[in-house]
Amino acid sequence: MRQPGLKFDWWTRVAWGLLILVFLVHWAVIARYAVDVPHMDSWEHLRQPDGLAGLHGSWLIAAHNEHRIVITRLLTYLFYALSDWNVAQVIVFNFALYGTLVGALGWVIHRKAPELPQWALPLGLSFLLSTTAWENHLWDFQNQIHSFLLFGILANGLCFYPGRKKWQLGIGVGAALLALLSFSAGFFLVAALTLVLGLRGVKDRWQKGQWPLADIVACGILAAALMIFLWQYQPVNHPTLSDQKLMPWSFDFWYFTMNMISGGFGYQMRTAVPALVATLILLVPAVACWRQPAAWRNGHWLVASLLLGLLLTFVVITYSRGAYGLWASKSSRYMEFSALLVPLAIALVSLTPWSQVWRTRAIVAVLLFAAMGNRNDWNFPRVYAQEQQKRLAALECLAQYYRGAGDGLCPDSYPEDITQLLQTAERLNLSFVQKIKQGE
């Protein structure tokens, strides 16, 4: 069994080096193509009475559609104070935040799945750096996604940490609460964590004859937070098809969910074979682990919690977005959730009771399946250059308004009239307004 403190071999060093290199190249390309102009929901930050000029608690915790986006609003206010809200700088910062997420996932898997070959982890993490989630990477508002996933991963890593201290559990609970305040899907990661942590407590009671008091208290705090979240929840009807939902008893429901799963392995085609294979990649080792519950360690509980949280997220997305059509299962904004499945899948395989030879073969097969699916997802400039042209067109439309030649209707930036928000932006002298007036 590999111990976390052992040195990496040469091939492992190369794999980690390539992972870091891909991250840096991707980050540099994003910095090259980021445009300083608010995009879609980002404009909503300016709807409070004084725009971004004041930091109000009511604004921080106010609902945005069905979400609480406290972290996103704090970051927006911070960048307003530092750079007059330079959106391009937020986008560049966001990818650093995303890199922290990737690193956090690598840390928890490295600590909890010691049987995973050292070279496999950086290869599994590399698929999180493809272009499948490009929309989140070029949209400043989407740091809400990075935040809730980061806090959710850290919460699980600390709650299931080997030899965990009470203070580590406390920080884990705090991270879970921050996940709830980052994005509505944090509810499902925290709900899964609460359930799995509680089940482990029941197992300890059955095996050791006593309840793990610290875990029970943690579960109580998290359960209370979940109930408060539901009590404060504000359901929202989104435009177009908002009254149509897919139900779990329909074939289309589960076909949509399976296509979301295959999207995490890079498969953008909406066909049955990749969806079925991707689902089996998770299902087969999960069943193998399920059949030997007495052998479960921290790694089993961690992977179970994260996979359950992601599955619940997929199911809710299917229910609320599935009626849009099967194409929605491959939406780039959802691929950030799905891409986590690759490193979690190889971690799950390493935890099975199979022989080392068969575990290694299965891990290689999973990585090859993901490599095939992501084979066309590494041309960073091509993807971001296309979106940059749309943002530049939006910026020119806004410039026309400030020059007195436009009407404030700029669909590439926002689908509705934002005249009032443009006036607020001018009053606050935001970064993009300054550049327009300077003729950049």
Side-chain angles (χ1 to χ4, degrees):
M1 180 183 297
R2 167 176 60 83
Q3 297 300 321
L6 291 182
K7 296 181 179 180
F8 294 151
D9 59 28
W10 189 84
W11 285 108
T12 303
R13 292 176 184 272
V14 170
W16 280 107
L18 288 174
L19 176 69
I20 294 171
L21 178 62
V22 172
F23 170 78
L24 293 175
V25 170
H26 198 160
W27 195 10
V29 172
I30 286 174
R32 164 66 177 80
Y33 290 100
V35 179
D36 181 16
V37 61
H39 180 66
M40 298 301 170
D41 293 45
S42 303
W43 287 102
E44 299 297 324
H45 292 312
L46 302 178
R47 290 199 186 276
Q48 61 171 328
D50 52 358
L52 294 172
L55 183 62
H56 305 289
S58 58
W59 173 65
L60 284 176
I61 64 173
H64 173 77
N65 293 332
E66 66 270 35
H67 310 290
R68 306 286 175 177
I69 54 171
V70 173
I71 305 302
T72 293
R73 285 177 171 149
L74 280 173
L75 289 173
T76 301
Y77 181 78
L78 176 63
F79 275 91
Y80 169 70
L82 295 175
S83 65
D84 295 320
W85 192 31
N86 187 310
V87 174
Q89 291 182 9
V90 181
I91 291 170
V92 173
F93 169 82
N94 285 353
F95 200 72
L97 183 64
Y98 182 72
T100 305
L101 182 163
V102 175
L105 183 61
W107 169 70
V108 299
I109 291 177
H110 178 67
R111 298 291 299 183
K112 310 301 189 304
E115 293 86 354
L116 182 66
Q118 295 179 358
W119 50 264
L121 181 55
L123 294 180
L125 292 172
S126 67
F127 297 108
L128 276 71
L129 300 178
S130 75
T131 59
T132 54
W134 64 266
E135 184 177 4
N136 291 352
H137 298 322
L138 215 59
W139 186 0
D140 65 297
F141 197 76
Q142 293 300 77
N143 51 35
Q144 58 184 323
I145 307 294
H146 309 333
S147 299
F148 104 85
L149 288 174
L150 172 61
F151 289 126
I153 290 168
L154 290 176
N156 277 274
L158 289 167
C159 287
F160 297 112
Y161 194 83
R164 181 204 64 206
K165 307 296 184 182
K166 291 182 179 179
W167 66 267
Q168 292 172 319
L169 178 61
I171 295 176
V173 170
L177 298 179
L178 289 174
L180 275 176
L181 294 174
S182 299
F183 188 68
S184 64
F187 177 89
F188 305 108
L189 286 186
V190 176
L193 172 61
T194 306
L195 175 62
V196 173
L197 190 62
L199 288 175
R200 193 182 72 162
V202 172
K203 179 175 179 288
D204 287 348
R205 172 67 177 85
W206 175 59
Q207 289 185 333
K208 302 177 183 178
Q210 60 182 6
W211 290 101
L213 183 58
D215 286 3
I216 299 303
V217 171
C219 287
I221 294 173
L222 294 177
L226 291 170
M227 287 188 288
I228 293 173
F229 183 93
L230 288 177
W231 176 54
Q232 295 288 333
Y233 179 74
Q234 299 179 13
V236 174
N237 287 324
H238 288 272
T240 70
L241 301 179
S242 60
D243 58 336
Q244 301 182 35
K245 309 293 182 185
L246 279 186
M247 296 300 175
W249 47 83
S250 69
F251 171 80
D252 290 342
F253 182 98
W254 296 107
Y255 191 48
F256 187 101
T257 302
M258 291 168 64
N259 269 276
M260 285 195 69
I261 293 173
S262 67
F265 292 84
Y267 291 88
Q268 298 302 306
M269 70 280 283
R270 300 183 288 274
T271 54
V273 173
L276 180 60
V277 172
T279 303
L280 289 175
I281 282 175
L282 298 175
L283 186 60
V284 171
V287 171
C289 291
W290 179 267
R291 295 179 64 180
Q292 294 192 0
W296 277 38
R297 304 185 307 277
N298 282 315
H300 294 83
W301 297 107
L302 170 92
V303 173
S305 175
L306 288 174
L307 285 177
L308 178 60
L310 290 173
L311 179 59
L312 290 174
T313 302
F314 297 160
V315 165
V316 173
I317 292 174
T318 301
Y319 169 75
S320 60
R321 301 291 192 273
Y324 284 42
L326 192 58
W327 64 267
S329 67
K330 306 297 184 179
S331 174
S332 175
R333 66 183 63 183
Y334 302 144
M335 290 302 101
E336 186 169 336
F337 310 143
S338 301
L340 299 176
L341 295 177
V342 178
L344 288 175
I346 60 175
L348 178 62
V349 170
S350 75
L351 294 167
T352 62
W354 304 337
S355 69
Q356 182 177 353
V357 171
W358 280 106
R359 288 199 305 265
T360 302
R361 290 174 178 175
I363 289 169
V364 170
V366 171
L367 293 174
L368 289 175
F369 180 71
M372 181 63 67
N374 284 275
R375 64 189 182 279
N376 297 319
D377 298 325
W378 304 100
N379 192 334
F380 305 135
R382 181 187 63 188
V383 173
Y384 294 118
Q386 293 175 355
E387 188 62 23
Q388 184 192 52
Q389 294 306 309
K390 296 180 182 178
R391 304 292 174 88
L392 291 174
L395 187 61
E396 177 58 28
C397 179
L398 300 178
Q400 291 296 324
Y401 169 81
Y402 286 118
R403 294 168 188 152
D407 57 6
L409 292 174
C410 300
D412 283 327
S413 187
Y414 198 80
E416 300 175 3
D417 186 349
I418 54 173
T419 301
Q420 182 179 357
L421 301 181
L422 289 172
Q423 293 171 356
T424 301
E426 184 175 24
R427 175 169 54 83
L428 295 174
N429 198 28
L430 297 182
S431 176
F432 79 93
V433 177
Q434 295 175 28
K435 292 178 180 178
I436 288 175
K437 293 187 175 182
Q438 292 168 2
E440 293 187 14

